[in-house]
Amino acid sequence: AMQEFDLNDPMPEEYRKRLVKLCCIEHGIEMISRSAILDFLSEVWRVGTYQAPSPIERVRTASYCWQEVGHSELFYNIAMDLDPVLANEDIPVTQYAFHMRFPTWTELAAVNFFTDRVGMYQAREWMGSSYVVLAKVAPMVVKDELGHTTMGYDRLERICETAKGREDAQKAIHKWYPAALDMFGRSESQRQHEYIQWGLKKKTNGELRRQYIADVSPLIAKLGLAVPDEKKNRRFF
């Protein structure tokens, strides 16, 4: 049976080391101590309010930013309990998707659809986690990320109602689809197996990526767009 650990429980050093790595660095991307998330949310706000086609879309953008700030506070608090020094460090975010720009409303829709969906898949891995703190917050994060990716897809559907919109959406998808696939990490990573061994993950990076491709490809086709080659413009496999 998998051993569970709660806040302040004594832990094996190997477990604590991997837990800190997972919460403070790999999934500390959204933490308010990282400048990358501030830059990301600033661009979401700028594009999502000034280019929004309707007042209700501006409201949806505001709600999105509010929920993501809530995630930032959540992960910051989790990290503070594990390692206050790392929690307050502005550690560079290595996932290049968070350094890409999305200057148009169409690209923002693609960002929400693709990258927030990755966040949903990652959060589902924490459901039933051996770290009880993660297991408790996972359902809320999954629910929020499902709402975010659904919002992005809904926006893409509206954009694709015109020929010009479909053309712009196709370009955005070719840009953001490979970036989203790379967000799962390298398929041969040794660390993923250690996470699984300690009950911090359930599936490998490759398994999550294959599930993502199987789920997303028919949704792209439903928009009337071409599904990009899953190996094109990729950095990690």
Side-chain angles (χ1 to χ4, degrees):
M2 179 183 66
Q3 185 175 0
E4 294 183 345
F5 301 94
D6 206 341
L7 182 64
N8 299 324
D9 282 351
M11 304 173 183
E13 186 55 34
E14 287 298 306
Y15 179 83
R16 172 173 285 278
K17 185 165 64 175
R18 284 158 182 77
L19 180 61
V20 167
K21 177 76 173 178
L22 181 74
C23 295
C24 296
I25 300 178
E26 294 198 10
H27 292 294
I29 289 168
E30 291 187 283
M31 281 165 44
I32 52 178
S33 54
R34 313 302 200 236
S35 57
I37 188 60
L38 300 178
D39 293 340
F40 174 79
L41 287 178
S42 294
E43 187 158 13
V44 170
W45 182 261
R46 186 167 55 251
V47 175
T49 55
Y50 286 95
Q51 296 187 34
S54 67
I56 189 61
E57 290 294 358
R58 286 195 287 274
V59 172
R60 295 176 85 186
T61 296
S63 178
Y64 172 89
C65 291
W66 175 73
Q67 288 180 345
E68 289 295 345
V69 169
H71 294 178
S72 297
E73 181 182 12
L74 177 70
F75 280 102
Y76 177 75
N77 289 335
I78 291 174
M80 277 291 290
D81 290 330
L82 294 170
D83 191 322
V85 174
L86 270 180
N88 286 291
E89 258 188 68
D90 189 14
I91 298 174
V93 173
T94 56
Q95 287 191 357
Y96 69 86
F98 284 90
H99 301 285
M100 293 168 62
R101 303 274 67 90
F102 40 96
T104 68
W105 176 257
T106 301
E107 279 205 45
L108 174 58
V111 168
N112 290 145
F113 173 52
F114 286 118
T115 67
D116 287 300
R117 193 176 191 91
V118 173
M120 180 183 74
Y121 282 52
Q122 299 286 18
R124 285 198 311 215
E125 292 291 284
W126 308 329
M127 299 178 76
S129 171
S130 60
Y131 189 47
V132 174
V133 176
L134 276 178
K136 286 179 179 176
V137 303
M140 181 270 289
V141 177
V142 170
K143 180 181 177 182
D144 286 351
E145 298 295 1
L146 174 59
H148 299 166
T149 187
T150 301
M151 177 184 71
Y153 190 77
D154 176 63
R155 288 172 170 176
L156 285 173
E157 281 187 315
R158 295 176 185 274
I159 289 167
C160 287
E161 289 175 354
T162 67
K164 178 64 167 61
R166 286 192 296 275
E167 180 183 347
D168 292 342
Q170 187 70 70
K171 291 178 182 177
I173 283 174
H174 278 296
K175 176 179 177 179
W176 286 99
Y177 184 61
L181 295 182
D182 282 347
M183 288 176 69
F184 288 102
R186 298 182 186 276
S187 295
E188 72 277 10
S189 166
Q190 177 57 35
R191 192 178 301 119
Q192 64 185 326
H193 301 294
E194 296 168 354
Y195 287 153
I196 293 172
Q197 176 187 346
W198 286 103
L200 295 169
K201 282 190 68 170
K202 292 176 283 189
K203 297 180 180 178
T204 66
N205 297 340
E207 288 172 332
L208 287 172
R209 185 165 24 241
R210 286 193 295 273
Q211 184 63 59
Y212 183 93
I213 292 170
D215 292 343
V216 165
S217 294
L219 292 174
I220 296 174
K222 187 178 177 183
L223 293 171
L225 303 175
V227 179
D229 182 345
E230 64 189 61
K231 295 183 179 180
K232 190 174 181 180
N233 297 323
R234 294 276 306 285
R235 302 186 190 183
F236 309 113
F237 291 92

